[in-house]
Amino acid sequence: MKNLSKIGLGILTSVGGYLEVGSIGTSLQAGARFRYELLWALLIGTVCVAFLTEMTGRLAAVSHHTVVDAMRKRFGFGFQVWPLASQVIVDLFVLASEIGGASLALELATGVSMRVWAIPIATAIWALLWLGTFDAIEHGVAVLGLVTLCFVVAALELGPEWRELRQSLVPHMPSADAGQYAYLAVGILGATISPYLVTFYSSGGVEEKWTSKDLMPNRMVAAVGMGFGSLVAMAVIVVSALVLAPRGVKAETYQEAAFILTIPFQRWGYPLFWVSLAIGCIGAALEISLDVSYIVSQSFGWDWGESQKPAEEARFALIYTLAMPIAAIPALIGLDPLKLTMFSMALTVIALPIVVGPLIVIMNDEQYLKTHTNGIVTNVAVVLIVALAFLLAIVAIPVQMIGGS
Amino acid sequence: MDLVRDVLDARLVDRRGRSLGRVDGILLDVRDGRPPRFVAMEVGLVTAARRIHPRLARWVRAFAIKVLPVPVRPTRYSPRLCRDIGVDVKLDVDAQSDARLLRLEKWLRRHVVERIPGAGE
């Protein structure tokens, strides 16, 4: 019974917390420009992220240590400084995109410029972190995030062509404009297999004091939660394909796409869009700010944990406090959040191999995982994911130059 | 025990389970005709930076002297303080009561964090 409620809560958290600025941005553009054609990228990304979260959750449950802990111990500071530096930079860019997305959502709601909202949004996120606990933040935001299920309802309401949709789940060449197709495929994979999820998920497991008894719920949540979560992002592609594509809207900005839900929901559509965008972005911003503090604190062996009061972990709390004003700058100067998001997704992809690569060694380390080291299936999966990560990192910049303009 | 495999980069924890940092460096006494002696485990940003490049260590040190409110010298722990070496290295010290330990953490807590409402304690 206890396991069932844990699984339920975990799945709810995955679904409610799935949509954020990266997945909304890339899915809107993919649907608007290529209809369902890029659904396969989301499917591959989801399978990868389900494996990664299962593995990092297992590490936390068995060893009570995180990926960063194990990476520093096994690879030494000389190596670890690189994933640390690249991930802090990527996290700051993605955090800036989330703050931008949330600020823009409030601009859509009020008509007042997003630049005015950047500081209130960043302050509100900081206050939630300063005063809240891990459980309250994680589960509270996820429950609010269930509003994003409106995209699933909209997709069903609009009635997609199921046959075309099924065919799009298999990787294939595009009907036209290969450069932009590749650019969006990389963007979707970057938004789905985010390096911050790898470090955040294992830290969350340690925060929630998982033990070996949590291995089964962890496995279920990774598979089912991520699966259902990705359905929400798939629904954004489908709705975008059915609403934006026929009208020739390319979704180059969020403003252009803001009417997307008014077709299925009429006057409720507009508020549902900005509420979904705001909640998705704020939820992810909370996680990413925490992630910056997690990775820095764990790398240097400081006390860390959102469940403690800031006074008990001064350095941990000050890291996210410092990150917030830095990440608020792009929104404050009015940088387009969707363009920043797409750029951040390319950066994410470049940082991916250096963060997931060490998992091949860590997940086979008996000192950490005892009898729960990777089996054949998970080892094959992690090697394939790392290979995919390297491939994506190599093509990210050329693809950005060809398809990003 | 293998110093590099088991001790270097391990997290140090005190008697109460409080983190003291990571072993950024190992101090050995190299003696003529005899095996080197394990003298201390060193924790400090400059020590860690030296492992990347000596020049980086100099920059970090110069920056830290300008910016940080506490002395920049690394903390050294004698191997005699070790109670257990596993995934973490457990030491027989108490960070809370020992004024020489976690100086920056304690300074930031007292002078910055506790002055912001809602910090607790």
Side-chain angles (χ1 to χ4, degrees), chain A residues 69 72 298 303 312 314-315, chain B residues 9 18 22 24 105 119:
Chain A
D69 273 331
R72 167 91 200 246
Q298 292 163 13
D303 269 322
E312 289 166 44
R315 289 174 291 187
Chain B
D9 291 302
R18 177 121 215 206
R22 283 183 179 273
D24 293 312
E105 171 79 20

Side-chain angles (χ1 to χ4, degrees), chain A residues 80 105 200 206 223 243 343 345 363 373:
Chain A
Q80 213 256 325
F200 181 82
V206 175
V243 175
F343 179 73
M345 291 308 113
M363 293 311 298
T373 51

Side-chain angles (χ1 to χ4, degrees), chain A residues 218-293:
Chain A
N218 171 54
R219 200 171 302 146
M220 293 290 292
V221 170
V224 183
M226 287 300 164
F228 277 117
S230 74
L231 285 183
V232 186
M234 286 188 183
V236 178
I237 296 187
V238 170
V239 177
S240 177
L242 294 172
V243 175
L244 302 184
R247 290 168 178 80
V249 177
K250 296 267 192 228
E252 270 161 19
T253 61
Y254 284 113
Q255 289 93 324
E256 238 183 74
F259 76 95
I260 188 169
L261 291 174
T262 57
I263 306 298
F265 299 129
Q266 285 97 37
R267 67 192 176 92
W268 288 104
Y270 195 72
L272 274 173
F273 180 79
W274 70 256
V275 168
S276 297
L277 183 64
I279 291 176
C281 290
I282 290 173
L286 288 164
E287 290 186 355
I288 295 164
S289 319
L290 275 183
D291 191 60
V292 178
S293 283

Side-chain angles (χ1 to χ4, degrees), chain A residues 40-351:
Chain A
W40 62 266
L42 203 51
L43 183 68
I44 290 178
T46 304
V47 173
C48 293
V49 88
F51 271 107
L52 289 175
T53 48
E54 188 282 325
M55 283 188 254
T56 53
R58 174 155 41 98
L59 174 74
V62 177
S63 72
H64 314 298
H65 284 73
T66 65
V67 172
V68 175
D69 273 331
M71 205 189 286
R72 167 91 200 246
K73 177 97 185 274
R74 280 293 165 257
F75 292 84
F77 187 69
F79 171 82
Q80 213 256 325
V81 72
W82 300 108
L84 173 67
S86 50
Q87 215 181 334
V88 167
I89 293 168
V90 169
D91 276 0
L92 286 175
F93 268 94
V94 181
L95 180 58
S97 311
E98 307 288 358
I99 293 175
S103 306
L104 189 92
L106 291 188
E107 178 181 317
L108 293 173
T110 61
V112 177
S113 162
M114 63 175 271
R115 297 169 65 175
V116 175
W117 293 110
I119 291 178
I121 291 274
T123 311
I125 292 165
W126 172 82
L128 283 171
L129 291 171
W130 193 263
L131 302 170
T133 60
F134 183 83
D135 279 354
I137 288 172
E138 179 78 349
H139 303 313
V141 170
V143 170
L144 292 176
L146 291 177
V147 70
T148 56
L149 285 172
C150 65
F151 278 98
V152 179
V153 177
L156 295 172
E157 187 87 357
L158 290 164
E161 299 81 351
W162 292 103
R163 225 187 97 164
E164 188 189 340
L165 204 144
R166 266 198 308 274
Q167 286 167 346
S168 302
L169 292 172
V170 181
H172 58 278
M173 290 304 285
S175 41
D177 203 355
Q180 199 155 74
Y181 184 81
Y183 162 72
L184 282 170
V186 170
I188 290 175
L189 286 162
T192 317
I193 323 170
S194 206
Y196 97 83
L197 273 177
V198 173
T199 45
F200 181 82
Y201 201 75
S202 66
S203 304
V206 175
E207 287 255 30
E208 293 186 320
K209 298 190 169 53
W210 288 356
T211 65
S212 299
K213 287 183 189 152
D214 294 300
L215 286 173
M216 201 277 283
N218 171 54
R219 200 171 302 146
M220 293 290 292
V221 170
V224 183
M226 287 300 164
F228 277 117
S230 74
L231 285 183
V232 186
M234 286 188 183
V236 178
I237 296 187
V238 170
V239 177
S240 177
L242 294 172
V243 175
L244 302 184
R247 290 168 178 80
V249 177
K250 296 267 192 228
E252 270 161 19
T253 61
Y254 284 113
Q255 289 93 324
E256 238 183 74
F259 76 95
I260 188 169
L261 291 174
T262 57
I263 306 298
F265 299 129
Q266 285 97 37
R267 67 192 176 92
W268 288 104
Y270 195 72
L272 274 173
F273 180 79
W274 70 256
V275 168
S276 297
L277 183 64
I279 291 176
C281 290
I282 290 173
L286 288 164
E287 290 186 355
I288 295 164
S289 319
L290 275 183
D291 191 60
V292 178
S293 283
Y294 284 148
I295 56 178
V296 174
S297 305
Q298 292 163 13
S299 294
F300 292 109
W302 305 340
D303 269 322
W304 60 272
E306 175 59 9
S307 309
Q308 310 285 333
K309 290 277 179 199
E312 289 166 44
E313 292 146 353
R315 289 174 291 187
F316 173 81
L318 287 175
I319 294 288
Y320 65 70
T321 305
L322 280 176
M324 215 56 75
I326 298 171
I329 292 171
L332 197 61
I333 59 173
L335 207 67
D336 180 58
L338 190 52
K339 288 200 173 69
L340 184 64
T341 302
M342 298 309 284
F343 179 73
S344 306
M345 291 308 113
L347 275 188
T348 297
V349 163
I350 294 169

Side-chain angles (χ1 to χ4, degrees), chain B residues 80-100:
Chain B
R80 281 196 297 273
L81 294 168
C82 287
R83 293 169 75 180
D84 180 46
I85 296 177
V87 173
D88 298 326
V89 173
K90 291 180 183 140
L91 297 181
D92 194 15
V93 294
D94 183 5
Q96 198 59 43
S97 59
D98 193 332
R100 294 167 303 172

